[in-house]
Amino acid sequence: MCGIIGCVGRGDETLDTLVHGLAKLEYRGYDSAGVALATDTVDVCKKSGKIDDLRAALESRTLSGPVGIGHTRWSTHGPPTDENAHPHRDCRGEVAVVHNGIIENYQSLRDELASAGHEFRSDTDTEVVPHLIEDALADGANPETAVREAIARLEGSYAVAVVIAGVDAIFAARNDSPLVLGIDDGEEGTGDAPGGAYYLASDVPAFRDHTDRVVYLDDGEFARLSSRGWRVTTLDGEPVEKAVDTVDWDPEETGKSGYDHFMLKEIHEQPRALRQCLRGRVDELSGTVDLGDLGDLTPRAVQFVACGTSYHAAIYAAQLFEEAGIPAKAYLASEYASKTPPIGDALVIGVTQSGETADTLSALREARRRGARTLAVTNTVGSTAARECDHTLYIRAGPEIGVAATKTFASQLAALNLLSLSVTSVSDSRDVIAGLRELPGAVQEILDDSNAEAVAETYGDAGAYFFIGRGLHYPVALEGALKMKEITYKHAEGFAAGELKHGPLALVTENTPVFAVVTGDDEMARKTIGNVKEVEARDAPVVAVTDGQSDVERYADHVLRVPDTHRRIAAVVANVQLQLVAYHTAAQLDRSIDKPRNLAKSVTVE
């Protein structure tokens, strides 16, 4: 949620760099935007609405300066108004602050500051920060010390960036909210390097057009960026040596490449993403999986923690481990952190696309506090989850901009298959590996031949949508429903197929299409067909997602075909058909597909 961008060393291009960076962060979700540039004064322009509204406001303003910060806000404290938009300033207008996260003690700080004569112009928790800095400056502190003293008084989660009139620097700090520095000094070292350009942001895409060299800040760290270079210390001022990493993806990967929406582009990128996930990790001849330096995990039990789409991937993975004889269960991270089950010697696996999901990080930290080994399954190199966990398995999906996860879900399922094969023993492992090797081609076949758009057109005016499946298809049903509700704003629910008759069947009408995922022709498929007959008898239209091995097509009004493959892989390919149905339904309804209302790509507050 929310986006931060800052830059120094860009000269007259500072404002354009900030606005461009904010546009690159739109996927994070926001409802207002603003910028601040510092010279001998601090000039601020901010507007509720979209970045185009900010651009329009800037046309009548003259903002310039060598140092600047920008922000896209997702409302938490106070509605989306011009006044509540970031950046926020102090009483004198000499300090500007942008902030992600939630300051838990803001009310007591605000009361204290108000009683001392400070005037507040917004409803936000953030506004206490510039006033705290103002007080420290008035007491004689130098600018950097003033910012440190203010940050030290904050409780809660924050990524904060500050500019001050007359100071050629940006000050920044983080706690439970991501910040990354961009280094463009032309050198391989760290520290002072006059003449370079330096950036900070919530996420790399904000400045990836300018540099591929990054420094990830950790909790409790403080950064200063100026035209002379960059420096990272603890909040108390102790120097911290930071590695400069190189981002291995091209900035063009964050463009639409001719597609109408990022989501559609990323659906079509799934074959490539899956190849990246599998490359160098599977040996079909030997029937083995090599995950590099994960070491000897061999868990006696596994607990998965995740949220949203990643939770559905975790449910899928838990079934794989259970089938191999290892007790496993998927937990909603937001519940796990507050009601942690007995861990024992279980391996705790956090599944998180961004590696910054606040609920998942809290669950992993609680597990580590209790002595558990932890593993992050993530897409983001250098993310907090990757740095804090004992082990990391990257899904290698590449950057995903659309809020509704698509290629990352498919890559999560593939990576979790690899993980289960590497630490468990199943009799058909060679068949699973063969299926994984064929997976990218199977997904491409669906992308080439799918009739999902016609199905979406047929049922675009439905009152609600049900998705059903059994076993490994159950999490696919959940994910299909989530995609539908996320981007169409229509009511959609996913169920274990056998549960329909225990209540949800009361909601089934002739205006409730039921998407049934049925592959193979085993007992599970036959039971699901029985559930299909139940809804057919109540005049509900049925859309079968099937490989044609069973006779489910006899009872279906429409069929979404998937290639015949291993049952573990069938879940991945079936999901692609449901992604396309959701996408085309949303497109026909003219929804904001890449940026659904009220949602954000990276949820960094609990």
Side-chain angles (χ1 to χ4, degrees), residues 281 291 294 375-379 391-395 415-416 419:
R281 290 171 164 175
L291 295 182
L294 280 186
L375 166 67
V377 178
T378 183
N379 191 41
H391 308 278
T392 302
L393 174 60
Y394 290 111
I395 68 171
L416 290 165
L419 179 63

Side-chain angles (χ1 to χ4, degrees), residues 452-460 583-591 593:
E453 186 171 5
V455 171
E457 186 173 350
T458 301
Y459 299 114
Y583 171 80
H584 288 298
T585 303
Q588 291 163 19
L589 294 169
D590 197 27
R591 302 301 195 218
I593 292 175

Side-chain angles (χ1 to χ4, degrees), residues 101-120:
I102 294 178
I103 299 171
E104 295 173 357
N105 63 332
Y106 89 96
Q107 191 60 61
S108 61
L109 292 172
R110 184 175 178 130
D111 292 343
E112 173 191 325
L113 290 161
S115 66
H118 290 268
E119 296 184 6
F120 288 83

Side-chain angles (χ1 to χ4, degrees), residues 308-327:
T309 287
S310 296
Y311 175 64
H312 301 156
I315 296 174
Y316 171 92
Q319 292 189 45
L320 302 184
F321 279 85
E322 286 278 354
E323 289 177 3
I326 296 179

Side-chain angles (χ1 to χ4, degrees), residues 349-370:
I349 302 175
V351 186
T352 162
Q353 183 279 137
S354 67
E356 303 292 349
T357 308
D359 292 316
T360 305
L361 290 174
S362 291
L364 288 168
R365 287 164 182 163
E366 179 61 22
R368 292 199 72 188
R369 190 183 70 82
R370 297 194 181 197

